[in-house]
Amino acid sequence: MAPKFGTSGLRGLVTELTPALVEDHVRAFLAACDTGGAICLGWDLRPSSPRIAQDVIRAAASMDVAVIDCGAVPTPALALAAQARGAGAVMITGSHIPADRNGLKFYVRSGEITKEDEAAITAALGTAPRTDTAPEIEADPDCGARFVARYLQACGAGALRGRRIGLYSHSAVGRDLMAEILTGLGAEVVDLGRSDIFIPVDTEAVDPEVRAQIAAWVAEHRLDALVSTDGDSDRPLLADETGAIVPGDIMGQITAEALGAETVVTPISSNSGVTAKGFAAVQRTRIGSPFVIAAMEAAGGKVVGYEANGGFLLGYEAQGPKGSFTPLRTRDCVLPLVMALIAAGPGPLSARVAQEPPVVTLADRLQEVPQEASQLFVAALASDPEARATFLAALGGSEAAVDLTDGVRITLTDGRVVHVRPSGNAPELRLYVEAQDRAGAEALLQAGLAELRRRLG
């Protein structure tokens, strides 16, 4: 995977993320974007992240930009720290992709970089250093503690009292802060699966082996729920008391309702049941937080956003059970996890999930598929009705409507949905499906994956 730059940042194989390449992109970011003359710096727990952090520090020093060292912290905690300081930020992470890959996420003073920022950074590549002075570094050891306080103050010490919650820690950078938050809210926390070796966990397309392990943990430890995150802890994973995974977009729907949001912004891949929940407005966008953020800014007011992976974006000062949450327009895993658990009240989490509109979405992906092959296949589906008909025939369906907002989203005549999209930052082909019940969704997902493997495997 050759390094690629976009609004998710710079990503690629560690062997190809050379100091020269990293420093070039950081200098371009600092030259082209508003950081207020300083950046907050954080990283995940990949073995390569500390080395890349030094590359970022050198680049910042060469541009006479101060660095606030926040250490190994979740992406939303770093974004919160930068927002409070009026600074930019650089997060070193490859998110959910394997440890042989890594990347950078860039934040300007107003939050995540936009498509316009992306174009400006690309145009500024090759910017020469401005100075050879030594780095100016300030440590911020309380970055994580302030992130924890955000949830304890807004939710209250007893919000999860009596709950026994498993924490699948693996190698997530936010694992210890998550434990502090849950314990601080009154829950009994059982730490599970902690690893000193980086484990890539995709919270949107959870591997069958991980699902089985989660179900086994829930049963063995008599858990009311289990929580986890991806590598940089901006995407949530939640399982109920039966071990069933609660989809990220369902968490988003529940959280938006619990916070009293009026406008919901979410990508086209999210569960369409949100349109039946009575919000004043629901806007669907292309997939990716920059598109969600742009639509949130245009909407204004009591607006929230979330993605199918569960990352939640808060666009206004919202009231929690005991206090308020300041806006945070970047993916946050903690808010949807905590608010979904609180919304369940004293009853089982599965009962609260069952109150949502009866629409089931599932997602998975083919891995190690060259992006060129994925793009050609999806382009053919988009442009050729006969290609779509042939693909759908293998799934036992036929086309009623097609949406090309992002990838190819096909509504079948029986109401089911099949959505195929190449990943924008990994050699993966994503498949999203929707049906009226879990059995139908699972059958459609497996049939779709089988057909995609036959064509591209």
Side-chain angles (χ1 to χ4, degrees), residues 109-131:
R109 287 203 292 172
S110 58
E112 291 187 31
I113 61 171
T114 64
K115 298 300 287 185
E116 291 75 17
D117 293 324
E118 175 191 341
I121 293 168
T122 300
L125 290 173
T127 295
R130 294 174 180 169
T131 179

Side-chain angles (χ1 to χ4, degrees), residues 354-400:
Q355 296 173 20
E356 294 303 293
V359 178
V360 177
T361 56
L362 296 175
D364 208 333
R365 81 281 196 207
L366 293 188
Q367 295 177 288
E368 303 305 329
V369 177
Q371 288 183 303
E372 297 80 3
S374 294
Q375 290 164 355
L376 285 172
F377 175 74
V378 173
L381 288 183
S383 63
D384 187 352
E386 291 188 7
R388 295 197 296 273
T390 300
F391 177 63
L392 294 178
L395 311 184
S398 56
E399 178 181 318

